[in-house]
Structure formats: structure tokens, C-alpha cells
Amino acid sequence: QKEVEQNSGPLSVPEGAIASLNCTYSDRGSQSFFWYRQYSGKSPELIMSIYSNGDKEDGRFTAQLNKASQYVSLLIRDSQPSDSATYLCAVAQAGTALIFGKGTTLSVSS
Amino acid sequence: NAGVTQTPKFQVLKTGQSMTLQCAQDMNHNSMYWYRQDPGMGLRLIYYSASEGTTDKGEVPNGYNVSRLNKREFSLRLESAAPSQTSVYFCASSPQPLEVYEQYFGPGTRLTVT
């Protein structure tokens, strides 16, 4: 069974802090990695994609990929209350559709 | 540019009733997907269409059928609804199938089967 694992949380951080969200996956053949943000009652919204080892930065968001460790993370710098949401990790394995983790709930307190 | 649209937004069915969920995208994407999302289960793929004229089963296809009507539209049909199909259903699309390309989601349909 190919799996994507995330800590369900909630992860609580104060406003202005760095939030670190982690995801591990089981299939070494995985090729593409995505982070989606989902506000309560809303649909998932793509915020980051990463395809090669290392870091990818976009504004306050940094995605990190380590294929040897089968690990992908999302860092949110200067966290804001508006960042409070569930963050879904999704992994694309060769020849198959996206596999989603169950999500980590982030709560940013002001 | 509306992106991915879904109708209806909410629906209540009785056990055994049938219905069709509609999805349309205006981004000229080739691939479309149907997911269901249940508490504690995450997003699970029901069916997908890699391109116009093709459909394939996902992780949880039982009890559902799909039709790729044209490049824009992909519908999901419940022939005989069961309480286990109570869920939030999301349609998504992507430029090309499966790996590599990002998927964009519609607003969802909240379905309750009593």
C-alpha cells in the first residue's frame, strides 16, 4: 500500500513564528510533490510544487525535498492567523494519480 | 475565467436514489478527476479521465460511474445512493494526467444520503 503520512496536528504556533509541516512517503519512485492548503469548508488550493531535491522558496513559503529520506516539508515564515488551515501533502507516483496525506491542521494565534 | 465549477453545491438524497454531479473547467485542461473527502480519510480518488474519451478507476470506484462528456465536462453518477456515500465530492483538473502537473480543484459538492 503506497502511503503518504502526515502528523494530523493540530500544530499551534504564535503569530510571526516559523511553522514546519512534515510529510513522508513510501514509494521511492515518486516524482512530484505538492502542498495544498485547505480552509475549513473550502476546496484544496495549490500553494507549492517541488520536483527535485533541495529547497524551493515562494514568498513566505519554502518547500524542502529529500528523496533519499523520502521526506518533504513545508516551512511557513512569519506565520499569520490567515495561515490557519489544513495543509495537505500530495505525492505523484510514477504511472499513478496523486496520493494525498490526511493533512496537518495549523493554528496560528495572534 | 471561472476555473473548475461544480453543481450542485449541496444535495440530500434518500437511500436508493440516483443523481449526477456535474463538473466543468474552462482552463483547456486535458485531465479531470473526481475525489471524495471524508473526515479522517483524506482525499481519495474515485475516477479520473486522462484525456477526452478515456476514463479509469481510482482508489474507491465502487458505486459510481463517470462520463467525460467533452474536454470541458466530467460528470459523476451515483446510481443507487447509500449512506456510505455521504461525503464531500471534489472535481479537479490538470493540464496533463497524473504525475508532474498540478491539479486545480472545484468548490465541492456536499452530499448527504439518509
Side-chain angles (χ1 to χ4, degrees):
Chain A
Q1 179 81 4
K2 298 174 181 177
E3 294 182 340
V4 176
E5 300 284 347
Q6 294 181 257
N7 189 322
S8 63
L11 173 65
S12 297
V13 301
E15 185 175 356
I18 295 175
S20 177
L21 303 159
N22 303 315
C23 172
T24 59
Y25 58 94
S26 62
D27 186 358
R28 285 193 174 275
S30 300
Q31 300 177 331
S32 310
F33 307 85
F34 306 94
W35 284 99
Y36 286 83
R37 177 176 62 200
Q38 186 174 25
Y39 292 114
S40 181
K42 301 296 185 182
S43 58
E45 171 194 13
L46 180 71
I47 54 172
M48 290 288 287
S49 58
I50 187 166
Y51 304 101
S52 55
N53 279 330
D55 295 359
K56 179 181 177 181
E57 187 174 318
D58 184 359
R60 295 186 296 110
F61 298 98
T62 299
Q64 300 175 316
L65 175 61
N66 184 327
K67 289 187 178 180
S69 300
Q70 295 175 241
Y71 173 93
V72 58
S73 65
L74 180 70
L75 300 178
I76 306 175
R77 291 182 300 281
D78 189 23
S79 295
Q80 301 296 310
S82 58
D83 295 325
S84 298
T86 296
Y87 289 80
L88 305 173
C89 174
V91 176
Q93 297 158 346
T96 68
L98 283 184
I99 305 296
F100 283 85
K102 295 179 182 178
T104 297
T105 300
L106 172 66
S107 176
V108 181
S109 56
S110 57
Chain B
N1 193 344
V4 181
T5 57
Q6 293 182 236
T7 56
K9 287 185 168 54
F10 299 94
Q11 183 71 48
V12 178
L13 290 178
K14 295 186 189 302
T15 297
Q17 288 185 318
S18 62
M19 78 162 296
T20 299
L21 281 64
Q22 306 286 353
C23 174
Q25 53 90 12
D26 62 2
M27 296 178 282
N28 200 35
H29 285 172
N30 286 310
S31 303
M32 299 184 73
Y33 313 82
W34 277 105
Y35 292 90
R36 59 178 288 174
Q37 187 174 38
D38 303 293
M41 298 296 294
L43 277 162
R44 292 182 292 170
L45 183 66
I46 305 171
Y47 270 94
Y48 65 96
S49 172
S51 61
E52 187 177 355
T54 69
T55 60
D56 287 285
K57 295 178 180 179
E59 180 185 355
V60 288
N62 291 344
Y64 305 96
N65 284 300
V66 291
S67 295
R68 183 74 182 266
L69 305 170
N70 48 55
K71 190 172 184 178
R72 290 186 63 249
E73 298 172 290
F74 188 37
S75 63
L76 178 71
R77 182 161 178 84
L78 286 70
E79 291 291 352
S80 179
S84 61
Q85 294 178 305
T86 293
S87 188
V88 180
Y89 292 85
F90 289 105
C91 177
S93 71
S94 67
Q96 295 294 342
L98 308 178
E99 62 264 31
V100 181
Y101 293 92
E102 301 93 341
Q103 294 184 15
Y104 298 88
F105 285 80
T109 294
R110 283 149 182 80
L111 174 67
T112 301
V113 182
T114 61

